[in-house]
Amino acid sequence: MRPFRVRGLRAIDVKVLRDVVRMRGQLGAIAIVLACGVGLFLGMRTTMKTLERAREDYYARERFADVFAPLVRAPEHVATRLRAIPGVQSLQTRIVADVVLDVPGMTDAATGRLVSLPDLGRPEVNDLFLRTGRLPAAGRDDEAVVLEAFVAAHDLRLGDAITAVVDGKRTVLRIVGTALSPEFTYALGPGQILPDDRRFGVLWLPRDALAHAFDMDGAFSDVSFRVERGAGVAEILARIDRVLEPWGGRGAFARADQLSETFLANELQQLDTFGTLVPAMFLAVAAFLLQVVIGRIVAGQREQIAALKAVGYRDLELGLHYAKLVILVVIAGIGLGLLLAWWLGSSMCELYGAYYRFPELDWSMPAREILLGIGVTVLAAGLGALASIRAAVVLPPAEAMRPPSPAVYRATILERLGLTALVPPAARIVLREIERKPRRALLSVASIAMTTALVVIGTFAFGSIRLAMNVQFGLQQREDVSLVLAEPRSLGALGELRHLPGVQHVEPFRAVPVRLRSGSRQDDVVITGIPAGAALQAVLDIDLREVTPQGDGIVLPRKLAQRLAVVAGDTVEVEVREGDRRTATVPVGRIAETFVGTSAYMELTALCRLLGETTTMNGAWLLVDDDSLAALHARAKTTPRIAGIAERRHVIETFRTMIDENLGTSLTINLGFALVMALGVLYNAARITLAERSRDLASLRVLGFRRREVTAILLGEIGLLTVVGIPLGLWLGRLAAGGLMDSLDTEQLRLPFVIEPWTYALAASTSLLAAVIASWFAWRMLERVDVIEVLKSRD
Amino acid sequence: MIPAADVVLRLEHVTKTYVMGDLRVDALRGVDVALHRGELLVLLGPSGSGKSTLLNILGALDVPTTGRAWFGYEELTGADRDRLTEFRRRHVGFVFQFYNLIPSLTAKENVQLVTDIARDRTDGLQPMAASEALELVGLAPREDHFPAQLSGGEQQRVAIARAIAKRPAVLLCDEPTGALDVATGRVVLEALDAIHREIGTTTAVITHNVAIGGMADRVVTLADGLVHSVRENRTKVGPKDLAW
Ligand SMILES: Nc1ncnc2c1ncn2[C@@H]1O[C@H](COP(=O)(O)OP(=O)(O)OP(=O)(O)O)[C@@H](O)[C@H]1O
Ligand SMILES: [Mg+2]
């Protein structure tokens, strides 16, 4: 071992530090791009891991069900048969019912889901997490534990009262505790796709209280199961369905299809996709920049390398020497990246926590993840720098003692085509430069393209959501208010509804839970029956043409049709999951493009024929005077037959709020990152051109070119890279966005694949802005170049 | 041929052919040279006659196409890159026509660059301190200056200090005055001469300048890749008195 010099560094390491200082702009830019890569990687990954861990703990601790089975009404003894199904570990029967809630200070009604608690002890399955207070005392029918978010949204306190309207009877419930539940991590009320904490709440009551109110003594309307590890869930579902068939079973489903879990799983999936794709783009660009910049340093130090080798520095020492340069950049990148990850991770977790409610969501960045992040970064940097470092290692010393032979320039395509006269000399120089180093130019263009694409994939979803909302709530749903009735009624009920305050127009609908089958494929959905000539509801296809069901046909939404593998003209088997559970074979009419919910559609009378009923309704769409809305809500709360009431306006508002809250942040972050990436690329491109061509540029100045004309050469290159990169990036972004649609386009919320013009405009402007800033830098660098100095120096 | 005891470096029937595509350049076409312990050898010859090629092979910076090379009793022919590097690291000091200083390091640091790696040599000889080496070339007061702040002659003297600081067995200089004016060249040659006298380093100097041959113990003239003549100087002239 060489003796370690305690005082001061070895001279060759001093050189590393001085090189870093000299190249600080370029190396700093690379470190920042690297930092974005690690920061995004670790930030998104730790957010995902934190959510996954929180979910796992939460589900395990509260014994979240593996299988759910809603039904109409079954006597408690049926539970014994359910318990006997092989693979079932434990089960919990419950009474679950939706009611209208009357909350002090709220004019419109909220939907309340009442869930029974066992008389003794905690639920075996789907326990709740008590945040404050206590469970209702046994035998009390006026106490309830309420979903924390609902309590918070209404600024209620323990001891406050909520009125539940059950069958027109107003029952006052006192809040004795607040709770969270894994079933309502993402708390959606009926028909909602975004949580609206003010309008949907869950209340847990003693079983007795609910049994009395809903005539469910010794019976249950919902059962959930924990299954043994490794049990065949599909088989268990089938058996449960068979047992519950006579009791109005609505179809058992696995945890993966539970509403809250679907949304959460989907969110995690998106996080995973974006958390891989986006950091990969940054790391790839950083690797490319390292390759170019270190390559340029090595090329520029050919003679220094040769001298070092001549005096006896070993190949390995030289490799290490340049590796240290890279290591310093990587260390800076990782340091900054960890800060970024810390900020990004903790704020993303907070953001998710506002939509997905966990007992605790403590963001953390475990050492294991940090190591992974470091590993990925080092790998990217290593791959990027390897070739350049190798070039230094293999450089033959004798060879390098003589100056490199003059670069070989060829006539550009323009010249070969005889178009020289048309091209000004500055442009010719730019083109030759690019032709001489086509790979570098290509990679620069690719990097600009990636930047542009980054903005597209980061923002296009907002356009999709907006379009979906506009179509859904502007063209498809045209009612002011929709009512859900407690049970099906004859169309005579329309008369009553027409007399509710402010109602101008009423149209009935009938929603029926069914199982659709086609060959071996099946799915549980709802068919909504729409009266012929309905004005308040339109079903549209992908080209926004009306495909409202006619005759006996059923209209299926695209995603459902895909899953059943049917097209217009085929037939599907419909198994009704209520009443006397008829089955029928129904022709598939058209394929619809609906965005929210999973409903299929039939004409109302045709649907009722299928059900074997005279025409009935269990809900209605209303047009209402704005002034009378409050009165309507007040009346609905006291009308026994109305089980739910929803204003279209509110749904739109929730979406607007969600978009308003997130669009700004999302845009800022997206554009910020993209700008950093583009700047890193263009700034380095300009620096390198300047370094390589400074003699030529200076010579041109001496030959009498004006500063402006010389600057044009430098800016020409930046401009050309940008101008070629942007359209490529828009195309690339569109391609990637198309791929990402799969993870955004979910069962519950399907999004149309559109990229709005503003998305393209934004993406292009971001790269352009970067080009302008880089040009400004380049211009300033040129200002500083001392013509005489450059010409004197031997390069 | 068995190398004699007082021979530091010896080349035997060395040829060097550069091949570039179809083009073959015979830079050396069968050269025998020996560098004796303690002597100052001057290599003369017209441009393109193969001087640099010969010096590079002597210093193990390059390898011959055919022929053999010895350092003392150790044969260098056929050694791999790593062994050649070790050889240069321990025993050879180079001075180049264009100085080849590291621009980002000060004069002192440029010298340290070499002394840093000269400590693990086998012969027990310790390298000089960087300031001592700079003292020898008269540049101690400028040790904290960067190459860009030094004149060409000063840079070349730093390069000489860098080459001799590790007390090499041979000092090889390729046109050390080539880029300098007469007066400055003289200062550089004085530095070389002083070092040769004070520490007795075996030295080979390439030059275009026939007059410089006057300060040598022996003058070898190359022409067209062959040794044209070898002349021993009975009376050496100090650099001051060379008729430039
Ligand atoms: N790497 C190389 N590739 C091709 N030819 C080479 C190479 N190095 C040297 N030569 C050729 O070999 C011949 C001898 O070159 P060398 O550099 O040894 O000459 P020199 O005597 O040092 O000339 P000068 O006085 O100009 O430095 C020349 O014709 C030169 O062109
Ligand atoms: Mg030469």
Side-chain angles (χ1 to χ4, degrees), chain B residues 51-53 97 174-175 206:
Chain B
K51 304 184 295 294
S52 295
T53 307
Q97 179 176 357
D174 192 346
E175 300 194 40
I206 289 184

Side-chain angles (χ1 to χ4, degrees), chain B residues 76-185:
Chain B
L76 295 175
T77 334
D80 60 11
R81 280 166 62 103
D82 292 343
R83 248 193 74 208
L84 294 181
T85 303
E86 290 312 307
F87 167 67
R88 291 199 302 272
R89 188 179 178 109
R90 290 191 185 138
H91 306 297
V92 186
F94 275 107
V95 175
F96 308 102
Q97 179 176 357
F98 295 109
Y99 336 131
N100 289 68
L101 298 178
I102 305 295
S104 55
L105 296 181
T106 62
K108 188 174 172 189
E109 287 160 350
N110 263 288
V111 178
Q112 281 171 351
L113 210 48
V114 173
T115 53
D116 277 344
I117 56 168
R119 288 161 197 283
D120 53 349
R121 43 198 285 170
T122 44
D123 53 13
L125 218 57
Q126 283 306 304
M128 303 176 198
S131 29
E132 188 188 336
L134 285 170
E135 186 81 61
L136 273 177
V137 295
L139 277 179
R142 311 292 299 274
E143 64 175 28
D144 288 330
H145 288 198
F146 286 94
Q149 299 166 320
L150 299 172
S151 74
E154 287 161 349
Q155 289 185 54
Q156 193 59 297
R157 277 146 70 198
V158 173
I160 292 170
R162 180 174 74 178
I164 51 104
K166 67 174 167 195
R167 304 181 198 279
V170 281
L171 176 61
L172 303 175
C173 312
D174 192 346
E175 300 194 40
T177 61
L180 305 174
D181 63 36
V182 177
T184 320

Side-chain angles (χ1 to χ4, degrees), chain A residues 399 402, chain B residues 18-20 25-28 45-54 97 174-175 206 208 222:
Chain A
E399 190 85 358
R402 53 186 74 239
Chain B
Y18 294 105
V19 181
M20 293 186 303
V25 180
D26 291 312
L28 297 178
S47 182
S49 56
K51 304 184 295 294
S52 295
T53 307
L54 181 67
Q97 179 176 357
D174 192 346
E175 300 194 40
I206 289 184
H208 274 119
L222 286 188

